[in-house]
Amino acid sequence: MPDLISSRIYIFFLIVSFVNVLSEIFECTVFIYLHKSFTVLRRLSQDLYGITLLITVFAVCVYLFSKVSYKYSRMFINAAISSIPLIAAILVILFGELSYSRTASGYYYNTGFAITFAYIVGFIYIVGSIVCALIFKGRMRKDEFIAIESGLLIWLGIETFQFFNRGFQIFSFGVMVMALILFVSLENPKEFYEKHIPNVRNKDTFISMLAENFGLERAFFIMSVIFTGKTKVFTGTNTGDLFDIQRVIADEAASKFGISAYLSDWNTLCFITRKSSTVEAFMNYINNYKGDLTNYKMIFSVLDVPKRVKELDKTMQILSYVSGEYAHSQSSPNLVIDEKIIDKMMYRNNIEDIVRDAVKEKKFDVYYQPILNVKNGTFSSAEALVRLIRDEGEEYISPEEFVPIAEKCGLIIEIDDLVFEKVCSFITREKISQYGIKSIEVNLSGNEAVDIKTHDRLIHKMEKYNIPPEFINFEITETSYINNDEVFKENVRKLKERGSTFAMDDFGSGYSNLLELLKMDYLLVKLDKEFVWQCLDSSKPENMRMLKHTIDFLKDYGLHILAEGVETLEQAKALIDNGVEFLQGFYYSRPVKEADFIEFLKANERRAE
């Protein structure tokens, strides 16, 4: 039996339709072969046919209620009220005048007050359903509305035709047409399941099931099994491996715990239960799973509804957030979704709204942080850094917060373009080369690095503002996102041919590593500030050896070295003594606005004089 109430009603409709067809066959047999001898049997066949026909119409009416009702208590009330005409019609059929007649061609048909009353009730149900669907079409998907409304209109036409042409027994044909339309459009079992994972229902079915549970106004739990360990599935082999694991978990959940699996996201199976004991038992099963996970890890999460959330849309937002960004940052195998997690999601969504608005209104600012050239003691370069403010007078949002969100929602390339446009405009407008600046470092996100149109966009902007390409040094960030080496290398090649140079950012952190160094000919490597601070930690003098070895290795490889995060004179001296060529950090200057950067350069010129 299907899980959804609408599907159960549809199954009931099919059963009654089948009985109706059998009743029609029975009625025809009685009238043709037995009507003169079996009066009681003849009346029974008429009653059975008329009653089952009315029930099919009523079932479709209730099916419509299941689609448009937000609360199923209201659906049951509407169904109860709507059953009054049905009950009245059944009583009239059983005890009222019901006879038969024959056409000139010899075809039998039913007559009498009872059959006329039944037609009127049928008209009421069908026309009422048509009107109801029109009024509440906003509560249905477009395809649902079209299927139901089309079936009802066809059915109404068939009943009207038969009412005025009694010799044609085609009302049951209308029943079959309605059943076929609903099956093909809405109730085809294949449409409920994932194509590649047997017995796992799809996201649309999951949403429908959640809507039904919310409508029933009962407490329930949503359990999720989130597969982490890989950020994306790139190959057919990897995809197949994940499908196999999910299939096994789904089968075990059904056989051992009696719960159905829904694929709510590519890496997440969801399950619905009303029993807290099932939650505990299933969590223990997932935590102690001994099967082959092929480098995936499983995180179990549970959401208590409606204790933690009362709306369907918000529920889907929470589940998406937890199975995506949140789960990948957690080490615990179990997550209980509480107010703290929901607040984090709301904050994250608020940041996303701000980012989208900022992209639309071009609200991003660019700050500049000077970089010291140790060899000549001048500030001959600077890094351009993007800043985003919430509202007038409020503090800026850290790039560490909004950049990952911009990447997730596909806005990072637009932000990169906005920033580069501002940088090029600033370089030309202020003629910053007159202050001794020989290059500006601009961050190039991993997403933009693998966009096939990136080099054309960047070259076009440099030409637009007459910026010599050698004036721009691109910093490659988030190298873990660079999964298309060919496009990446092509972008780099074309920009380098024009004269631009490249730096590896955040060396020593998780994003940048030796493998990335081998992929491309970088000019400069920027030591991550956390790496620098750890190496210069006075309580761990042995860490200095790591710094020395790293610097020696990079210089032997022919690379120039910049250290980020320089905050004290002692740090600067230690880095210089170990061969670092460029220094950047708060000790020299925080990132500053355009005007303040120009003042810094002017002041530096005056000190040099």
Side-chain angles (χ1 to χ4, degrees):
M1 181 69 73
D3 294 330
L4 296 174
I5 283 182
S6 60
S7 297
R8 295 174 185 176
I9 296 171
Y10 177 71
I11 294 295
F12 174 72
F13 166 69
L14 288 182
I15 293 172
V16 178
S17 300
F18 177 71
V19 174
N20 176 252
V21 171
L22 293 180
S23 300
E24 186 173 10
I25 295 172
F26 175 56
E27 184 183 29
C28 291
T29 302
V30 170
F31 267 78
I32 294 173
Y33 298 107
L34 304 173
H35 74 283
K36 293 181 180 179
S37 306
F38 297 90
T39 304
V40 175
L41 197 60
R42 184 188 66 221
R43 178 60 188 248
L44 176 63
S45 69
Q46 288 178 293
D47 289 351
L48 187 61
Y49 174 71
I51 291 171
T52 55
L53 202 57
L54 283 171
I55 293 176
T56 61
V57 183
F58 174 71
V60 171
C61 181
V62 178
Y63 179 84
L64 176 62
F65 292 155
S66 73
K67 292 292 184 181
V68 301
S69 299
Y70 287 144
K71 295 183 178 181
Y72 282 96
S73 57
R74 174 58 60 183
M75 184 202 79
F76 294 131
I77 293 172
N78 291 336
I81 295 173
S82 299
S83 67
I84 294 174
L86 172 66
I87 295 171
I90 290 174
L91 291 174
V92 170
I93 289 173
L94 290 174
F95 303 106
E97 178 193 354
L98 181 57
S99 185
Y100 68 93
S101 185
R102 298 179 68 173
T103 65
S105 302
Y107 293 109
Y108 289 98
Y109 63 91
N110 294 314
T111 62
F113 174 76
I115 198 66
T116 301
F117 188 78
Y119 271 113
I120 293 172
V121 171
F123 275 119
I124 291 173
Y125 279 133
I126 296 175
V127 173
S129 296
I130 291 172
V131 174
C132 179
L134 285 170
I135 293 173
F136 297 106
K137 68 177 182 179
R139 298 185 180 184
M140 294 184 284
R141 300 193 312 269
K142 185 177 180 180
D143 60 322
E144 290 180 326
F145 171 74
I146 292 174
I148 293 173
E149 198 75 345
S150 299
L152 289 169
L153 288 171
I154 292 172
W155 208 357
L156 178 63
I158 289 173
E159 180 177 0
T160 303
F161 178 83
Q162 182 168 317
F163 181 78
F164 292 105
N165 298 272
R166 295 294 180 89
F168 293 91
Q169 196 74 2
I170 61 172
F171 198 92
S172 294
F173 175 72
V175 174
M176 290 184 286
V177 169
M178 190 72 197
L180 182 62
I181 289 174
L182 293 181
F183 177 82
V184 171
S185 303
L186 304 179
E187 298 298 334
N188 187 343
K190 291 183 178 180
E191 299 301 318
F192 297 154
Y193 291 88
E194 285 293 319
K195 295 180 181 178
H196 304 291
I197 316 177
N199 300 323
V200 175
R201 292 160 172 81
N202 58 31
K203 186 175 181 177
D204 289 339
T205 308
F206 178 56
I207 293 172
S208 298
M209 196 65 196
L210 286 182
E212 180 169 301
N213 277 275
F214 274 106
L216 291 171
E217 298 181 285
R218 298 175 185 171
F220 62 97
F221 300 95
I222 303 172
M223 301 178 293
S224 299
V225 179
I226 306 162
F227 296 85
T228 64
K230 296 181 181 180
T231 55
K232 292 181 180 178
V233 179
F234 293 110
T235 69
T237 301
N238 286 336
T239 302
D241 289 342
L242 182 58
F243 287 163
D244 288 342
I245 299 168
Q246 291 171 334
R247 176 185 55 77
V248 171
I249 298 298
D251 289 345
E252 290 288 293
S255 62
K256 292 183 177 180
F257 305 98
I259 50 179
S260 301
Y262 304 85
L263 192 70
S264 65
D265 208 335
W266 71 271
N267 68 330
T268 306
L269 289 176
C270 283
F271 306 83
I272 299 173
T273 183
R274 293 195 179 96
K275 300 177 181 178
S276 58
S277 58
T278 302
V279 174
E280 184 175 355
F282 190 53
M283 179 183 69
N284 290 332
Y285 165 74
I286 295 298
N287 290 165
N288 296 290
Y289 182 75
K290 303 299 183 183
D292 182 15
L293 292 175
T294 62
N295 298 321
Y296 286 96
K297 294 185 295 184
M298 291 192 297
I299 292 180
F300 178 88
S301 76
V302 60
L303 176 61
D304 191 346
V305 183
K307 181 179 179 181
R308 298 299 182 189
V309 60
K310 294 179 174 60
E311 301 87 25
L312 174 59
D313 289 345
K314 190 174 179 180
T315 300
M316 293 304 299
Q317 290 178 13
I318 293 169
L319 294 175
S320 177
Y321 170 71
V322 171
S323 66
E325 299 168 45
Y326 191 80
H328 284 91
S329 66
Q330 302 302 305
S331 58
S332 172
N334 299 310
L335 296 173
V336 177
I337 301 175
D338 55 15
E339 291 301 324
K340 185 184 294 185
I341 295 176
I342 295 173
D343 288 344
K344 285 183 178 180
M345 182 206 71
M346 298 302 291
Y347 177 76
R348 182 257 181 228
N349 290 347
N350 182 50
I351 298 296
E352 180 177 335
D353 291 340
I354 294 171
V355 170
R356 291 187 181 278
D357 180 66
V359 169
K360 183 178 179 181
E361 303 295 330
K362 299 183 178 181
K363 291 181 179 180
F364 293 94
D365 288 340
V366 179
Y367 277 38
Y368 295 85
Q369 187 171 31
I371 296 172
L372 177 70
N373 185 327
V374 173
K375 184 176 181 180
N376 56 31
T378 63
F379 293 94
S380 56
S381 61
E383 181 179 2
L385 298 162
V386 63
R387 293 292 183 265
L388 172 61
I389 195 170
R390 285 187 176 87
D391 290 304
E392 193 73 28
E394 293 190 24
E395 293 183 359
Y396 282 94
I397 301 171
S398 168
E400 294 178 356
E401 287 187 298
F402 76 78
V403 168
I405 292 173
E407 289 168 349
K408 293 285 185 184
C409 56
L411 296 173
I412 192 63
I413 292 178
E414 292 183 67
I415 295 173
D416 284 349
D417 281 353
L418 287 172
V419 170
F420 194 60
E421 182 93 24
K422 286 178 177 286
V423 169
C424 291
S425 174
F426 172 65
I427 292 171
T428 301
R429 185 178 68 253
E430 298 295 337
K431 300 180 176 61
I432 64 172
S433 58
Q434 65 180 311
Y435 303 110
I437 295 294
K438 300 186 184 307
S439 67
I440 294 292
E441 296 185 358
V442 179
N443 289 292
L444 192 66
S445 69
N447 298 62
E448 188 164 28
V450 296
D451 186 340
I452 197 169
K453 298 180 180 179
T454 288
H455 62 269
D456 286 334
R457 286 197 305 268
L458 298 177
I459 291 170
H460 172 74
K461 284 183 171 61
M462 287 188 280
E463 290 176 345
K464 175 182 175 181
Y465 291 96
N466 296 312
I467 306 294
E470 58 268 20
F471 205 86
I472 303 296
N473 179 41
F474 292 103
E475 293 184 15
I476 305 297
T477 60
E478 297 97 25
T479 54
S480 67
Y481 286 97
I482 298 176
N483 50 57
N484 191 330
D485 283 343
E486 294 306 314
V487 175
F488 174 46
K489 290 176 181 177
E490 182 68 7
N491 282 326
V492 170
R493 183 185 67 79
K494 291 191 175 183
L495 289 166
K496 288 184 72 174
E497 284 178 354
R498 292 297 188 104
S500 294
T501 54
F502 287 82
M504 173 181 276
D505 198 15
D506 299 328
F507 185 83
S509 72
Y511 283 132
S512 302
N513 54 47
L514 297 178
L515 178 60
E516 298 302 326
L517 278 177
L518 298 175
K519 288 182 179 180
M520 199 188 76
D521 183 19
Y522 290 102
L523 175 71
L524 176 72
V525 170
K526 303 186 72 172
L527 302 180
D528 180 69
K529 62 183 180 182
E530 293 289 345
F531 176 74
V532 170
W533 293 343
Q534 287 294 323
C535 288
L536 297 178
D537 187 348
S538 58
S539 66
K540 300 176 181 178
E542 66 276 9
N543 288 1
M544 183 62 75
R545 293 172 56 196
M546 177 64 73
L547 179 66
K548 290 178 180 180
H549 289 317
T550 300
I551 293 172
D552 289 342
F553 163 75
L554 293 174
K555 295 186 80 171
D556 286 344
Y557 200 68
L559 295 163
H560 297 286
I561 303 170
L562 182 152
E564 297 180 305
V566 181
E567 296 189 347
T568 66
L569 177 60
E570 291 73 24
Q571 289 176 337
K573 286 181 177 179
L575 291 165
I576 293 171
D577 290 344
N578 282 279
V580 174
E581 301 158 275
F582 301 93
L583 301 175
Q584 178 181 352
F586 289 178
Y587 177 69
Y588 301 105
S589 174
R590 290 177 175 272
V592 293
K593 295 180 180 180
E594 292 178 352
D596 295 331
F597 178 58
I598 296 297
E599 287 301 316
F600 177 90
L601 296 177
K602 288 179 178 178
N604 189 61
E605 277 191 330
R606 289 192 291 270
R607 285 194 296 269
E609 293 172 356

